[in-house]
Amino acid sequence: MQFIDIKAIHAHSAAQIDAAVAQVFEHGRYINGPEVYELEATLGKFLGDSKPLHCIAVASGTMALEVALRALSIGPGDEVITTPFTWISTAETIALVGATPVFADIEPDTYNIDPKEVEKVITPKTKAIIPVDLFGQLPDYTALETIAEKHGLKIIEDAAQSFGAEQNARKAGTFGHVATTSFFPAKPLGGYGDGGAVFTADDQLAEDLRAVTNHGCKERESHYILGTNGRCDSLQAAIIQAKFANFRDAEIALRQKVGARYSEALKDYVTVPKIHPGNTHIYAQYTIRPKNRDSLGEALKAADIPSAVYYRKPLHQQEVFSHLPCAKKSFPHTEQAAQEVISLPFHPYLSEADQARIIATVVKAV
């Protein structure tokens, strides 16, 4: 049994992927090939419906965050608020552009950043908030957008784990001034290497985002903004484009079906994911909270069932951020979640038989 069965996901789009990759080999435009622009148009339309969003494909989800920060001119002397309960990319990109990460604690039930905690740490240096749509569902953007408007802050939505989810009929990737996502293979819409995208409805910001990915220039050797090499290559774009139709038409619903089966069967034994009112969940990870994580992990291992812990060590406890003033603070909900959560095998094609075996093992263990 695989924790995420990427081979099973591939099998459902294999013919389309083979044809798309062969086309790239045929034309030989491995950078900025037509597949990149096709993917950008497809994803922009998916998110924007009647008015497509600007989409800029980039080299990774991490690069997407860095590009967004640079395009918003965030740098030395600025502070950006984010969650300590996430993968390090969200905070490290803040530091990489010269700004200071500031952490705000999470809600204990959704594991997403708590808007009330965000407002407590805003200072005159605060320029932006980066909420993370953790594990596959969105935080309370109504509250976060109200806070951002009140204090004149930008919101960068980190939708690396939530592409395909919604909040009040708005799709992940459409919140804030700019949104980012990742196509890392384990993500809901995963490529076969690194890749990501940035989204915005702002025409000028879109122009700046694209320039940042191309060494800060719109015309060759004319650089008006500090940029980087952030481009998405044609092969990855071709693969993601080839997978997208099945993701949109089948896998979003299948992921929700598998998640619902887990929750119904396990709700009386462990704390299952709480879905915030108005949200749908895409389950980048199916994360539960048992009374004893270690004993459950051992029982799963003994049954040859893989599991994983996201995230065992919060960002404020990481050595690289030990110099930050907020690193000396306690974030009790984050710290408790880090000690208690565990994620079960999950992918859209998880069979009912395999899922039943996982569920039976969990129930017996707890």
Side-chain angles (χ1 to χ4, degrees), residues 171-189:
K171 292 183 174 70
T174 66
F175 290 84
H177 299 82
V178 59
T180 68
T181 198
S182 170
F183 303 127
F184 183 77
K187 295 296 191 285
L189 177 59

Side-chain angles (χ1 to χ4, degrees), residues 30 41 52 108 120 128 132 151 155 162 180 209 226-227 230 270 277 296 300 308-309 312 334 340:
Y30 298 109
K120 290 177 183 177
V132 178
H151 295 276
I155 289 181
S162 66
T180 68
L209 288 163
L226 188 61
V270 297
L296 176 56
L300 291 166
V309 175
R312 199 178 296 271
T334 292
E340 296 178 355

Side-chain angles (χ1 to χ4, degrees), residues 189-248:
L189 177 59
Y192 294 165
D194 278 316
V198 189
F199 307 99
T200 187
D202 184 314
D203 295 345
Q204 181 58 54
L205 182 56
E207 193 172 288
D208 292 341
L209 288 163
R210 191 171 295 282
V212 171
T213 68
N214 192 34
H215 302 286
C217 65
K218 288 184 283 188
E219 299 177 6
R220 187 172 177 83
E221 296 187 33
S222 178
H223 309 271
Y224 76 98
I225 190 172
L226 188 61
T228 184
N229 178 3
R231 299 180 298 252
C232 177
D233 67 67
S234 303
L235 281 169
Q236 283 308 321
I239 290 165
I240 297 160
Q241 171 80 355
K243 292 183 67 182
F244 176 75
N246 196 56
F247 171 79
R248 178 196 60 207

Side-chain angles (χ1 to χ4, degrees), residues 68-76 78-80 94 97-99 127-128 154 156:
L69 288 160
R70 290 192 183 280
L72 290 171
S73 300
I74 292 172
D78 297 333
E79 294 178 350
V80 179
I94 298 169
V97 300
K127 293 295 186 291
K154 301 294 187 183
I156 301 171

Side-chain angles (χ1 to χ4, degrees), residues 1-6 9 186 254-255 257-263 266 273 282-288 296-297 299-301 303-310 342-362:
M1 187 185 298
Q2 302 296 312
F3 183 70
I4 301 173
D5 195 338
I6 294 173
I9 297 170
L254 287 171
R255 296 182 77 91
K257 184 177 180 180
V258 173
R261 273 204 312 256
Y262 263 140
S263 292
L266 294 175
I282 199 70
Y283 300 103
Q285 291 86 30
Y286 187 86
T287 302
I288 60 173
L296 176 56
L300 291 166
K301 185 177 180 181
D304 292 325
I305 296 171
S307 63
V309 175
Y310 305 93
I342 187 170
S343 298
L344 301 177
F346 192 97
H347 61 88
Y349 304 106
L350 182 65
S351 70
E352 290 193 40
D354 279 349
Q355 193 171 19
R357 185 162 77 87
I358 297 162
I359 290 165
T361 304
V362 172

